[in-house]
Each structure stands twice: as structure tokens, then as C-alpha cells.
Amino acid sequence: MKKQAFWVLPMAAALALSGCGSSGNESSGSSDGSGAAQEQSTETAALTAEQVSAVVKSLVGDNSKAQVLDGDTIKASLPESKKLIEQMNISPEKCAEFVAQQGTQDLEGTNMAVAIVPGEGMESTTYSVLGYEDSAKLEQAKSMAESKDLQGCDKFTMSMSGQEISASAKVLDASSDADTTIATQTSMTVNGTEVPGGSYQMQGLVGANAVMVVYSGGGDTSEAEVLDKLTGELNKAVAEVKSAA
């Protein structure tokens, strides 16, 4: 299996389980998180394509290992992402639909940029910034973030080309400077071997924008330490978004 495919699979699980992005499914059931969502700010307008790229570049600073993907690059990769996801065997079936939506969602009406910063071994940190010019997609994102609902996909399996991945997730208590915050922890095993540290995701809504920080592969780092790190990084991202807007 290609190295790229190896990383796409667990990231697809992480994104699907984090409850971020748009989805055609309505949220239902009780929340696994605690604390009321803060009132959404309407003062921070959706960032332009140039602004979201500038924000992620600012977040990674002068790190020479950082890979920054602008909106055009992300959109151009969607056909390959769709092809890869179509080759996956995902169970249960409703979670297959959820992953497909996350990996092939229409980005029209949004401006997005992503920065990936590799660390030691399998460790990596990913920053995503998305500006919603489409109000309908913004409302979907708000609904999902506020519900803190994994939509019955707290556990599922994915297999492709001899790789078997099992994933499970839980919603964590978290708060940040964002209008609404949701954090999840995803545990994964690949062919029966646990991925050290799993993956942690923290997403915040800032007016008409979403920011997300994902930390993976930190095997010896405690949950409290990771949440501390993610909160600090998300708060920096929130400040950058507000400044850019």
C-alpha cells in the first residue's frame, strides 16, 4: 500500500469521527460532551482563499518540514480521494457513507487551506482553516459542532489492499477562544497493531469560519497534555482568523 494511502485511511476515520465538515445526515441522540455551546459570533466574516492560506502559513511559521495545501490543490485532489475511498470496505454501512461525504464533499462556496507538520516517527500536527461563504454549509457545520454527536460511528472498521483498520472515538470535554469547540480522541489499530497515541482533533467555529488542529502519533503523551497543546494551538488559530478578517 502506498504511504499516502496509509495516511489517508486513518485521517478519513479521524475526520469522520470528529464531526467536522458538512453532512447530509441530521444529528440525533444525546451529546457525549458536556457544557453548553457558546453563542455564535456573527462579526467574523468568512475568510478569502488568500486569507485562509495566510493563516495556516502563519501557524506553521518557518518550519521547513511543513506542507501547505491551498484550496486549489485540495480541490484538485478530490477525484483521487474519491477513488481511494470507493476502494475501501467500511463497516457499518452508515459510517461508510459518512467517510465518503468527508472525503469527497463539495468545497464550492468555501475557502480552505491545510498545513501538515511532521514530527518524530509517526507524530504529526495538521492545521485546517475553512471560510464558509455558503451560509447553508455554515449552518450545517454549526449544527454538527454544537450537537457533539458521532452519529453512531463511534466504532467502525476499514479495509483496503490488505490493510485492516479498526477505529473508535470519544468526545472530550474542551473549551477554547472559539465560539463553539468540539474535541475528540480517535484510537486506531492497523492489522491488529495499535497506532501509538491514536489521533486527537479539536475544532472551533469562529463566526463564518472553522479551524481544526489534529495531533497524531504521540504515543507517550497523556490526554491532558495533548488537550493542553491543542487548546493553545487552536487559540492561536482563532486569533489569526479574527485578525485576518
Side-chain angles (χ1 to χ4, degrees):
M1 190 180 216
K2 295 181 181 179
K3 183 178 180 182
Q4 179 187 21
F6 175 82
W7 282 107
V8 169
L9 284 173
M11 285 308 297
L15 289 173
L17 291 171
S18 71
C20 68
S22 60
S23 168
N25 297 330
E26 294 186 9
S27 299
S28 60
S30 61
S31 168
D32 289 323
S34 62
Q38 299 176 12
E39 183 178 354
Q40 288 287 339
S41 167
T42 57
E43 297 178 358
T44 309
L47 299 186
T48 66
E50 292 76 14
Q51 288 172 328
V52 293
S53 291
V55 168
V56 295
K57 288 176 181 177
S58 177
L59 292 173
V60 300
D62 57 0
N63 191 317
S64 60
K65 295 181 179 180
Q67 180 185 9
V68 178
L69 308 176
D70 61 18
D72 290 340
T73 302
I74 295 170
K75 289 177 182 178
S77 71
L78 287 181
E80 185 64 27
S81 175
K82 181 178 180 180
K83 180 180 177 182
L84 181 63
I85 290 174
E86 287 174 345
Q87 295 172 3
M88 297 179 187
N89 182 16
I90 302 173
S91 179
E93 187 175 342
K94 64 178 179 181
C95 300
E97 181 181 349
F98 201 3
V99 171
Q101 288 169 344
Q102 297 303 320
T104 62
Q105 61 177 298
D106 176 18
L107 295 179
E108 291 303 318
T110 65
N111 298 310
M112 185 177 188
V114 175
I116 304 167
V117 183
E120 298 295 326
M122 296 181 66
E123 187 179 12
S124 69
T125 304
T126 303
Y127 302 88
S128 302
V129 180
L130 193 152
Y132 288 98
E133 294 178 338
D134 186 320
S135 59
K137 290 181 179 179
L138 173 61
E139 289 306 313
Q140 287 179 331
K142 286 181 180 180
S143 176
M144 295 184 72
E146 291 170 355
S147 71
K148 294 182 171 65
D149 182 12
L150 298 180
Q151 300 190 32
C153 291
D154 54 323
K155 294 182 180 180
F156 66 84
T157 61
M158 300 186 292
S159 61
M160 188 182 81
S161 302
Q163 296 281 353
E164 186 81 28
I165 296 177
S166 298
S168 63
K170 61 180 180 179
V171 177
L172 306 174
D173 289 337
S175 62
S176 74
D177 294 338
D179 302 328
T180 302
T181 306
I182 178 172
T184 58
Q185 189 268 336
T186 306
S187 300
M188 288 172 284
T189 61
V190 180
N191 293 335
T193 301
E194 185 176 359
V195 176
S199 177
Y200 290 81
Q201 311 86 36
M202 185 176 288
Q203 180 188 7
L205 293 177
V206 191
N209 305 279
V211 292
M212 184 167 74
V213 185
V214 179
Y215 176 71
S216 303
D220 297 327
T221 310
S222 70
E223 181 176 295
E225 290 175 317
V226 175
L227 283 177
D228 234 22
K229 168 186 170 72
L230 290 183
T231 301
E233 293 299 303
L234 190 66
N235 285 342
K236 286 196 296 184
V238 169
E240 291 285 349
V241 167
K242 290 182 177 179
S243 176

